[in-house]
Amino acid sequence: MCGIIGYVGKSTKAITKTISCLEKLEYRGYDSAGIAYINNNQIIIKKERGRIEALKKELDFNTNSNLAIAHTRWATHGDANNINAHPHQVGHVTLVHNGIIENYLELKDMLEKLGYTFKSETDTEIGCAMIDYLYQKNNNHLKALNELTKILKGSYALGIIFDDDINTLYAIRKDSPLIVGINKDEFFIASDIPAILEYTNKYITLEDNDIAMINNEVKIYHHLKEVKKDIQSFDYEYVNQDKGKYEHFMLKEINEQPAIIYNLLNENLDNNLKDLPDLTHYKRIDIVGCGSAYHTALVAKTLFEEYASIEINCYIASEYRYQRNFYTDKSIVIFISQSGETADTLACLRKVKDHNIPTLAIVNAYGSSIAREADQVIYTKAGSEIAVATTKAYTAQVTILSLLALKCAYKKKIITSLDDIKESCHQIKDITNKLIKNTDYLKIAKKIYKKRDIFFIGRLIDYATALEGSLKLKEISYINSATYPAGELKHGTISLVEKDTPVITILTYDAIKDKTISNIKEVKTRGARVIIISNQELDSQLYDDLIIIPKVNIFIQPILTIIPLQLLAYHVAKLNKCDIDKPRNLAKSVTVE
Ligand code: AGP
């Protein structure tokens, strides 16, 4: 999704600093980039379709400038082209925007009647014109921005320059993240904190409808009253945006999993799970997330229900926020998010909080909106994840949820000792490393990478993992894949299975193994190419390829099961020469709904 950076300070290197911060936002996904900077009292705008690299070629980094705003655009309204790219400029106002102005057509109509004309197809240009109109009406920058907050519908983070106040950077936000970075003699605005860590780890979080006025100092206004904000310090691991020896961030992140899983499991088990919340007090538990985060909820459902006897309701955030929700006086809602900024998940959190229901967030990004706003937060400690397709954050989320389920089972005395599981967790790093290294995933990928349709099947917890494996394949290789509970295939979809159709089957869940084997036979009989991921040897008549994963305690099993699917997706995408770390159309941090 769009990324915003702004700089104002004593340094004349505003262009260099802004662009180097903007590059830290590349991971979010974008299709054009732009910058506006002040030079010789003029506002200069440069923008280019494609990567920041293309924009850099248009810039002279020796140009002196003390103030700049820059942007990576992930197209929503209008194609990815130079005209629609940000910054936009109308009248006195130049700005960059992240979010969606939902009432832009209505505002456009009004502004056109007032004589405004527009060059782009974007909602942003309308917002820009609206500020210009309000500024001319109020003859005051702050009053104009304050009135804007009452008019705009939707979500926005804006970095703004007025042409008659070129030493001041204005910033404003609602439902899209924006922070103000603070350093000696210089200030930044940014969509996330890691983007500015090269320069400072001190920052102020802007809340909805805060207006920041930044020149040689920072002043924050809320409804025209100046408000004092605490300066926070980001003291966590520096974002390592270096691929090291790996060809892609995704592969690097897959290989980071053994240590992350090991640390999370052992640090919690060593103290008998005492730092984790006890969920046995609740009568109703909802888990909410999007994409892979939602899949982790489905994995957790089996563990909680079958092994801790606690019912779990899983919801996709974009649905949950608009549906009727059923709470009891003993409800808790758990929110799963890598970025902690996903617009739908954040909106659900706010909705639930409005009902005074306790909230728990399982989040990877420190200091993110969801982490800040939930009543309790558990960090997944996976380190920064750069590849758009999540791998290590997913396994870290599954690990935390598995530990929460284990704690419930232990509390309820369904499990009476943690000794066995502790023992196997000490081996988990080696086990996971071997799983990554000892199988020739490339060899299997070569057999399926040219296919246009692939099916994934499994039952219960294996179905949940199959959904995630299928999403991995779709997002990075662009191969269509569909996932079914294994017993459901014959109710329609099996008509699509023909000779050599790949059917990837997950088979780790003993309780229902024989049923899934019958379903494998059904597709095999119809000529399917069957690839099985299982934690046991099987009759060779059942499969074309068998990937054996170690058999471990059920609370740990799903953490391992996904890894072969991540690697298969990776190799299939690589064979298809896809842009693995930045798949087309996708954004890492989905900050619009
Ligand atoms: C996973 O590979 C995806 N890129 C995506 O489904 C992601 O999990 C989803 O957008 C949720 O993001 P979040 O965890 O940052 O909230």
Coordinates of all heavy atoms in Angstrom, one line a residue, residues 43-115:
I43 N 8.6 24.9 -5.4 CA 8.2 23.4 -5.2 C 8.5 22.7 -6.5 O 7.8 23.0 -7.5 CB 6.8 23.3 -4.7 CG1 6.5 24.1 -3.5 CG2 6.4 21.8 -4.5 CD1 5.0 24.1 -3.0
I44 N 9.4 21.7 -6.4 CA 9.7 20.9 -7.6 C 9.1 19.6 -7.4 O 9.3 18.9 -6.4 CB 11.2 20.7 -7.8 CG1 12.0 22.0 -7.6 CG2 11.5 20.1 -9.2 CD1 11.8 23.1 -8.6
I45 N 8.4 19.1 -8.5 CA 7.7 17.7 -8.3 C 8.3 16.8 -9.4 O 8.4 17.2 -10.6 CB 6.2 17.8 -8.6 CG1 5.6 18.7 -7.5 CG2 5.6 16.4 -8.6 CD1 4.1 18.9 -7.6
K46 N 8.7 15.6 -9.0 CA 9.1 14.6 -9.9 C 8.4 13.3 -9.6 O 8.3 12.9 -8.4 CB 10.6 14.3 -9.8 CG 11.5 15.5 -9.9 CD 12.0 15.7 -11.3 CE 12.9 16.9 -11.4 NZ 13.2 17.2 -12.8
K47 N 7.9 12.6 -10.6 CA 7.2 11.3 -10.3 C 7.4 10.4 -11.5 O 7.5 10.8 -12.6 CB 5.8 11.5 -9.9 CG 5.0 12.6 -10.7 CD 3.7 12.8 -9.9 CE 2.7 13.7 -10.7 NZ 1.5 13.9 -10.1
E48 N 7.5 9.1 -11.2 CA 7.7 8.1 -12.2 C 6.9 6.9 -11.9 O 6.8 6.4 -10.8 CB 9.2 7.7 -12.2 CG 10.2 8.6 -12.9 CD 9.9 8.8 -14.4 OE1 9.6 7.8 -15.0 OE2 9.9 9.9 -14.8
R49 N 6.4 6.3 -13.0 CA 5.8 5.0 -12.9 C 6.9 3.9 -12.6 O 8.0 4.1 -13.0 CB 5.1 4.7 -14.2 CG 4.3 3.4 -14.2 CD 3.7 3.2 -15.6 NE 2.7 2.2 -15.6 CZ 2.9 0.9 -15.4 NH1 4.1 0.4 -15.4 NH2 1.9 0.1 -15.4
G50 N 6.5 2.9 -11.9 CA 7.5 1.8 -11.6 C 8.2 2.0 -10.3 O 7.7 2.6 -9.4
R51 N 9.4 1.5 -10.3 CA 10.2 1.5 -9.1 C 10.9 2.8 -8.7 O 11.1 3.7 -9.5 CB 11.3 0.4 -9.2 CG 10.8 -1.0 -9.5 CD 10.2 -1.6 -8.2 NE 9.7 -2.9 -8.4 CZ 8.6 -3.4 -7.8 NH1 7.8 -2.6 -7.0 NH2 8.2 -4.6 -8.0
I52 N 11.2 2.9 -7.4 CA 11.9 4.1 -6.9 C 13.2 4.4 -7.7 O 13.6 5.5 -8.0 CB 12.2 4.0 -5.4 CG1 10.9 3.9 -4.6 CG2 13.1 5.1 -4.9 CD1 11.1 3.7 -3.1
E53 N 13.8 3.3 -8.2 CA 15.0 3.3 -9.0 C 14.8 4.3 -10.2 O 15.7 5.1 -10.5 CB 15.4 1.9 -9.5 CG 16.6 1.3 -9.1 CD 17.6 2.0 -8.2 OE1 17.4 1.9 -7.0 OE2 18.5 2.7 -8.7
A54 N 13.7 4.2 -10.8 CA 13.4 5.0 -12.0 C 13.3 6.5 -11.6 O 13.7 7.4 -12.3 CB 12.0 4.5 -12.6
L55 N 12.6 6.7 -10.4 CA 12.5 8.1 -9.9 C 13.9 8.7 -9.6 O 14.2 9.8 -9.9 CB 11.7 8.1 -8.7 CG 11.5 9.4 -7.9 CD1 10.7 10.4 -8.8 CD2 10.8 9.2 -6.6
K56 N 14.8 7.8 -9.0 CA 16.1 8.3 -8.6 C 16.9 8.8 -9.8 O 17.6 9.8 -9.7 CB 16.9 7.2 -8.0 CG 16.5 7.0 -6.5 CD 17.0 5.7 -5.9 CE 18.3 5.7 -5.4 NZ 18.7 4.4 -4.7
K57 N 16.6 8.2 -11.0 CA 17.4 8.6 -12.2 C 17.0 10.1 -12.6 O 17.7 10.7 -13.3 CB 17.1 7.6 -13.4 CG 17.7 6.3 -13.1 CD 17.8 5.4 -14.4 CE 18.4 4.1 -14.0 NZ 17.5 3.0 -14.1
E58 N 15.8 10.5 -12.2 CA 15.3 11.8 -12.5 C 15.8 12.9 -11.5 O 15.5 14.1 -11.7 CB 13.8 11.8 -12.6 CG 13.2 10.9 -13.6 CD 13.7 11.2 -15.0 OE1 13.6 12.4 -15.4 OE2 14.1 10.3 -15.7
L59 N 16.5 12.5 -10.5 CA 16.8 13.4 -9.4 C 18.3 13.7 -9.4 O 19.1 12.9 -9.7 CB 16.4 12.8 -8.0 CG 14.9 12.5 -7.8 CD1 14.7 11.7 -6.5 CD2 14.1 13.8 -7.8
D60 N 18.6 15.0 -9.0 CA 20.0 15.4 -8.8 C 20.1 15.5 -7.2 O 19.6 16.4 -6.6 CB 20.2 16.7 -9.4 CG 21.6 17.3 -9.1 OD1 22.3 16.5 -8.3 OD2 22.0 18.3 -9.5
F61 N 20.8 14.5 -6.7 CA 20.9 14.4 -5.2 C 21.8 15.5 -4.7 O 21.9 15.7 -3.5 CB 21.4 13.0 -4.8 CG 20.3 12.0 -5.0 CD1 20.1 11.3 -6.1 CD2 19.5 11.7 -3.9 CE1 19.1 10.4 -6.3 CE2 18.4 10.8 -4.0 CZ 18.2 10.1 -5.2
N62 N 22.5 16.3 -5.5 CA 23.3 17.4 -5.0 C 22.4 18.7 -4.9 O 22.9 19.7 -4.4 CB 24.4 17.7 -6.0 CG 25.4 16.6 -5.9 OD1 25.7 16.1 -4.9 ND2 25.9 16.2 -7.1
T63 N 21.2 18.6 -5.3 CA 20.3 19.8 -5.2 C 20.0 20.1 -3.7 O 19.7 19.2 -2.9 CB 18.9 19.5 -5.9 OG1 19.2 19.1 -7.2 CG2 18.0 20.7 -5.9
N64 N 20.2 21.3 -3.3 CA 19.9 21.7 -1.9 C 18.4 21.7 -1.6 O 17.7 22.3 -2.4 CB 20.5 23.0 -1.6 CG 22.0 22.9 -1.5 OD1 22.6 21.8 -1.3 ND2 22.7 24.1 -1.5
S65 N 18.0 21.1 -0.5 CA 16.6 21.3 -0.2 C 16.5 20.9 1.3 O 17.2 20.0 1.9 CB 15.8 20.3 -1.0 OG 14.5 20.3 -0.5
N66 N 15.7 21.7 2.0 CA 15.4 21.5 3.4 C 14.1 20.8 3.7 O 13.8 20.5 4.9 CB 15.4 22.8 4.2 CG 16.8 23.5 4.1 OD1 17.0 24.3 3.2 ND2 17.6 23.2 5.1
L67 N 13.3 20.7 2.7 CA 11.9 20.2 2.9 C 11.5 19.3 1.7 O 11.6 19.8 0.6 CB 11.0 21.3 3.2 CG 9.6 20.9 3.7 CD1 9.0 22.0 4.6 CD2 8.6 20.6 2.6
A68 N 11.0 18.2 2.0 CA 10.5 17.3 0.9 C 9.4 16.4 1.4 O 9.3 16.0 2.6 CB 11.6 16.5 0.3
I69 N 8.5 16.0 0.5 CA 7.6 14.9 0.8 C 7.7 13.9 -0.4 O 7.9 14.3 -1.5 CB 6.1 15.4 0.9 CG1 5.7 16.3 -0.3 CG2 5.8 16.1 2.2 CD1 4.2 16.7 -0.3
A70 N 7.6 12.6 0.0 CA 7.8 11.6 -1.1 C 6.7 10.5 -0.8 O 6.2 10.4 0.2 CB 9.2 11.0 -1.0
H71 N 6.5 9.7 -1.9 CA 5.4 8.8 -1.9 C 5.6 7.5 -2.7 O 6.2 7.7 -3.8 CB 4.2 9.5 -2.4 CG 2.9 8.8 -2.3 ND1 2.3 8.1 -3.3 CD2 2.0 8.8 -1.2 CE1 1.1 7.6 -2.9 NE2 0.9 8.0 -1.6
T72 N 5.2 6.4 -2.3 CA 5.1 5.2 -3.2 C 3.6 5.0 -3.3 O 2.9 4.9 -2.3 CB 5.8 4.0 -2.6 OG1 5.4 3.9 -1.2 CG2 7.3 4.1 -2.7
R73 N 3.1 4.8 -4.5 CA 1.7 4.7 -4.7 C 1.3 3.3 -5.1 O 1.9 2.7 -6.0 CB 1.2 5.7 -5.9 CG -0.3 5.5 -6.3 CD -0.7 6.5 -7.3 NE -2.2 6.4 -7.5 CZ -2.7 5.9 -8.6 NH1 -1.9 5.5 -9.6 NH2 -4.0 5.8 -8.8
W74 N 0.3 2.7 -4.5 CA -0.3 1.5 -4.8 C -1.7 1.8 -5.4 O -2.5 2.2 -4.6 CB -0.4 0.6 -3.6 CG -0.8 -0.8 -3.9 CD1 -0.1 -1.9 -4.3 CD2 -2.2 -1.4 -3.7 NE1 -0.9 -3.0 -4.5 CE2 -2.1 -2.7 -4.1 CE3 -3.4 -0.8 -3.3 CZ2 -3.3 -3.5 -4.0 CZ3 -4.5 -1.6 -3.2 CH2 -4.4 -3.0 -3.6
A75 N -1.8 1.7 -6.7 CA -3.0 2.3 -7.4 C -4.3 1.8 -6.8 O -4.5 0.6 -6.7 CB -2.9 2.0 -8.9
T76 N -5.2 2.7 -6.5 CA -6.6 2.3 -6.2 C -7.5 3.0 -7.2 O -8.3 2.4 -7.9 CB -7.0 2.7 -4.7 OG1 -6.8 4.1 -4.5 CG2 -6.2 1.9 -3.7
H77 N -7.4 4.3 -7.3 CA -8.3 5.1 -8.2 C -7.5 5.6 -9.4 O -6.8 6.6 -9.2 CB -8.9 6.3 -7.4 CG -9.9 5.9 -6.3 ND1 -9.4 5.1 -5.3 CD2 -11.2 6.1 -6.1 CE1 -10.5 4.9 -4.5 NE2 -11.5 5.5 -5.0
G78 N -7.6 4.9 -10.5 CA -6.8 5.3 -11.7 C -5.6 4.4 -11.8 O -5.0 3.9 -10.9
D79 N -5.2 4.3 -13.1 CA -4.0 3.4 -13.5 C -2.8 3.9 -12.8 O -2.6 5.0 -12.3 CB -3.8 3.5 -15.0 CG -4.9 2.9 -15.8 OD1 -5.7 2.3 -15.1 OD2 -4.9 3.1 -17.0
A80 N -1.8 2.9 -12.8 CA -0.5 3.3 -12.3 C 0.3 4.0 -13.4 O 0.8 3.4 -14.3 CB 0.3 2.0 -12.0
N81 N 0.2 5.4 -13.4 CA 0.9 6.1 -14.5 C 1.4 7.4 -13.8 O 1.1 7.7 -12.7 CB 0.0 6.4 -15.7 CG -1.2 7.2 -15.3 OD1 -1.3 8.0 -14.4 ND2 -2.3 6.9 -16.0
N82 N 2.2 8.2 -14.6 CA 2.8 9.4 -14.0 C 1.8 10.5 -13.6 O 2.0 11.2 -12.6 CB 3.8 10.0 -15.1 CG 5.1 9.3 -15.1 OD1 5.1 8.1 -14.7 ND2 6.1 9.9 -15.6
I83 N 0.7 10.5 -14.3 CA -0.3 11.6 -13.9 C -1.0 11.2 -12.6 O -1.2 12.1 -11.8 CB -1.4 11.7 -15.1 CG1 -0.6 12.2 -16.3 CG2 -2.5 12.7 -14.7 CD1 -1.5 12.3 -17.5
N84 N -1.3 10.0 -12.4 CA -2.0 9.6 -11.2 C -1.0 9.5 -10.0 O -1.4 9.4 -8.8 CB -2.7 8.2 -11.4 CG -3.9 8.4 -12.3 OD1 -4.5 9.5 -12.4 ND2 -4.2 7.3 -13.0
A85 N 0.3 9.4 -10.3 CA 1.3 9.2 -9.2 C 1.3 10.5 -8.3 O 0.9 11.6 -8.8 CB 2.7 9.0 -9.8
H86 N 1.7 10.3 -7.1 CA 1.8 11.5 -6.1 C 3.2 12.0 -6.2 O 4.1 11.3 -6.6 CB 1.5 11.0 -4.7 CG 0.1 10.4 -4.5 ND1 -0.6 10.4 -3.3 CD2 -0.7 9.7 -5.4 CE1 -1.7 9.7 -3.5 NE2 -1.8 9.3 -4.7
P87 N 3.4 13.2 -5.8 CA 2.5 14.2 -5.2 C 1.6 14.8 -6.2 O 1.9 14.8 -7.4 CB 3.5 15.3 -4.7 CG 4.8 14.7 -4.6 CD 4.9 13.6 -5.6
H88 N 0.5 15.3 -5.7 CA -0.5 16.1 -6.5 C -0.4 17.5 -6.1 O 0.0 17.8 -4.9 CB -1.9 15.5 -6.3 CG -2.1 14.2 -7.0 ND1 -2.4 14.1 -8.3 CD2 -2.0 13.0 -6.6 CE1 -2.5 12.9 -8.7 NE2 -2.2 12.1 -7.6
Q89 N -0.7 18.4 -7.0 CA -0.7 19.8 -6.7 C -1.9 20.5 -7.3 O -2.2 20.4 -8.5 CB 0.6 20.4 -7.4 CG 0.9 21.8 -7.0 CD 2.2 22.3 -7.5 OE1 2.5 22.2 -8.7 NE2 3.1 22.8 -6.6
V90 N -2.6 21.2 -6.4 CA -3.7 22.1 -6.9 C -3.6 23.4 -6.1 O -3.6 23.4 -4.9 CB -5.1 21.4 -6.6 CG1 -6.2 22.3 -7.1 CG2 -5.2 20.0 -7.2
G91 N -3.6 24.5 -6.9 CA -3.6 25.8 -6.3 C -2.4 26.0 -5.3 O -1.2 25.8 -5.7
H92 N -2.7 26.3 -4.1 CA -1.6 26.5 -3.1 C -1.0 25.2 -2.5 O -0.1 25.3 -1.7 CB -2.1 27.4 -2.0 CG -2.5 28.8 -2.4 ND1 -1.5 29.7 -2.6 CD2 -3.7 29.4 -2.6 CE1 -2.1 30.8 -3.0 NE2 -3.4 30.6 -3.0
V93 N -1.6 24.1 -2.8 CA -1.4 22.9 -2.1 C -0.7 21.8 -2.9 O -1.1 21.5 -4.0 CB -2.7 22.3 -1.5 CG1 -2.5 21.1 -0.7 CG2 -3.5 23.4 -0.8
T94 N 0.3 21.2 -2.3 CA 1.0 20.0 -2.8 C 1.0 18.9 -1.8 O 1.3 19.2 -0.6 CB 2.5 20.3 -3.2 OG1 2.5 21.5 -4.0 CG2 3.2 19.2 -3.8
L95 N 0.6 17.7 -2.1 CA 0.5 16.7 -1.1 C 0.7 15.3 -1.6 O 0.6 15.0 -2.8 CB -0.9 16.8 -0.4 CG -2.2 16.6 -1.1 CD1 -2.4 15.2 -1.5 CD2 -3.3 17.0 -0.2
V96 N 0.9 14.4 -0.6 CA 1.0 13.0 -0.8 C -0.1 12.3 0.1 O -0.3 12.9 1.2 CB 2.4 12.4 -0.5 CG1 3.4 12.8 -1.6 CG2 2.9 12.8 0.9
H97 N -0.6 11.2 -0.3 CA -1.8 10.6 0.4 C -1.7 9.1 0.5 O -1.4 8.5 -0.5 CB -3.0 11.1 -0.3 CG -4.3 10.4 0.1 ND1 -5.3 10.0 -0.9 CD2 -4.8 10.0 1.3 CE1 -6.3 9.4 -0.2 NE2 -6.0 9.4 1.0
N98 N -2.0 8.6 1.6 CA -2.2 7.1 1.8 C -3.7 6.9 2.3 O -4.0 7.6 3.2 CB -1.2 6.5 2.7 CG -1.5 5.1 3.1 OD1 -2.2 4.4 2.4 ND2 -1.0 4.6 4.2
G99 N -4.4 6.1 1.6 CA -5.8 5.9 2.1 C -6.8 6.0 0.9 O -6.4 6.1 -0.3
I100 N -8.1 6.1 1.2 CA -9.1 6.3 0.2 C -10.1 7.3 0.6 O -10.6 7.2 1.7 CB -9.8 4.9 -0.1 CG1 -8.9 3.9 -0.8 CG2 -11.0 5.2 -1.0 CD1 -9.5 2.6 -1.1
I101 N -10.2 8.3 -0.2 CA -11.3 9.4 0.1 C -12.6 8.9 -0.5 O -12.7 8.9 -1.7 CB -10.8 10.7 -0.4 CG1 -9.5 11.2 0.3 CG2 -11.9 11.8 -0.1 CD1 -8.9 12.4 -0.4
E102 N -13.4 8.4 0.4 CA -14.6 7.7 -0.1 C -15.6 8.6 -0.8 O -16.4 8.2 -1.7 CB -15.3 6.9 1.0 CG -14.4 5.7 1.4 CD -14.9 5.0 2.6 OE1 -15.9 5.4 3.3 OE2 -14.3 4.0 3.0
N103 N -15.7 9.9 -0.3 CA -16.7 10.8 -0.9 C -16.1 11.7 -2.0 O -16.5 12.8 -2.2 CB -17.4 11.6 0.2 CG -16.4 12.4 1.1 OD1 -15.2 12.0 1.1 ND2 -16.9 13.4 1.8
Y104 N -15.1 11.2 -2.7 CA -14.4 12.1 -3.6 C -15.2 12.5 -4.8 O -15.1 13.6 -5.3 CB -13.1 11.4 -4.0 CG -13.2 10.4 -5.1 CD1 -12.7 10.7 -6.4 CD2 -13.6 9.1 -4.9 CE1 -12.8 9.8 -7.4 CE2 -13.7 8.2 -5.9 CZ -13.3 8.5 -7.2 OH -13.4 7.6 -8.2
L105 N -16.2 11.6 -5.2 CA -17.0 12.0 -6.4 C -17.9 13.2 -6.0 O -18.1 14.1 -6.8 CB -17.8 10.8 -6.9 CG -16.9 9.8 -7.6 CD1 -17.8 8.6 -8.0 CD2 -16.3 10.4 -8.9
E106 N -18.5 13.1 -4.9 CA -19.3 14.2 -4.4 C -18.5 15.5 -4.3 O -19.0 16.5 -4.7 CB -19.8 13.7 -3.0 CG -20.9 14.4 -2.3 CD -21.0 13.8 -0.9 OE1 -21.1 12.6 -0.7 OE2 -20.9 14.6 0.1
L107 N -17.3 15.4 -3.7 CA -16.5 16.6 -3.5 C -16.1 17.1 -4.9 O -16.0 18.3 -5.1 CB -15.3 16.3 -2.7 CG -15.6 15.8 -1.3 CD1 -14.3 15.5 -0.5 CD2 -16.4 16.8 -0.5
K108 N -15.8 16.2 -5.8 CA -15.3 16.6 -7.2 C -16.4 17.4 -7.8 O -16.1 18.5 -8.4 CB -15.0 15.3 -8.0 CG -14.5 15.6 -9.4 CD -14.1 14.3 -10.1 CE -13.5 14.7 -11.4 NZ -13.3 13.6 -12.3
D109 N -17.6 17.0 -7.7 CA -18.8 17.7 -8.3 C -18.8 19.1 -7.8 O -19.0 20.1 -8.5 CB -20.0 16.8 -7.9 CG -21.2 17.2 -8.8 OD1 -20.9 17.3 -10.0 OD2 -22.3 17.3 -8.3
M110 N -18.7 19.2 -6.5 CA -18.8 20.5 -5.8 C -17.7 21.4 -6.3 O -17.9 22.6 -6.6 CB -18.8 20.3 -4.3 CG -18.9 21.5 -3.5 SD -18.0 21.3 -1.9 CE -16.8 22.5 -2.1
L111 N -16.5 20.8 -6.3 CA -15.3 21.6 -6.7 C -15.3 22.0 -8.2 O -14.9 23.2 -8.5 CB -14.0 20.8 -6.4 CG -13.7 20.6 -4.9 CD1 -12.7 19.5 -4.6 CD2 -13.2 21.9 -4.3
E112 N -15.8 21.2 -9.0 CA -15.9 21.5 -10.4 C -16.9 22.7 -10.6 O -16.6 23.6 -11.4 CB -16.4 20.3 -11.3 CG -15.2 19.4 -11.6 CD -15.5 18.1 -12.3 OE1 -16.7 17.7 -12.3 OE2 -14.6 17.5 -12.8
K113 N -17.9 22.7 -9.8 CA -18.9 23.9 -10.0 C -18.2 25.1 -9.5 O -18.6 26.2 -9.9 CB -20.1 23.6 -9.1 CG -21.0 22.5 -9.7 CD -22.3 22.3 -9.0 CE -23.1 21.2 -9.7 NZ -23.5 20.2 -8.8
L114 N -17.2 25.0 -8.7 CA -16.4 26.2 -8.2 C -15.3 26.6 -9.2 O -14.5 27.5 -8.9 CB -15.8 25.9 -6.8 CG -16.8 25.8 -5.6 CD1 -16.2 25.2 -4.4 CD2 -17.4 27.2 -5.3
G115 N -15.2 25.8 -10.2 CA -14.2 26.1 -11.3 C -12.9 25.3 -11.2 O -12.0 25.5 -12.0

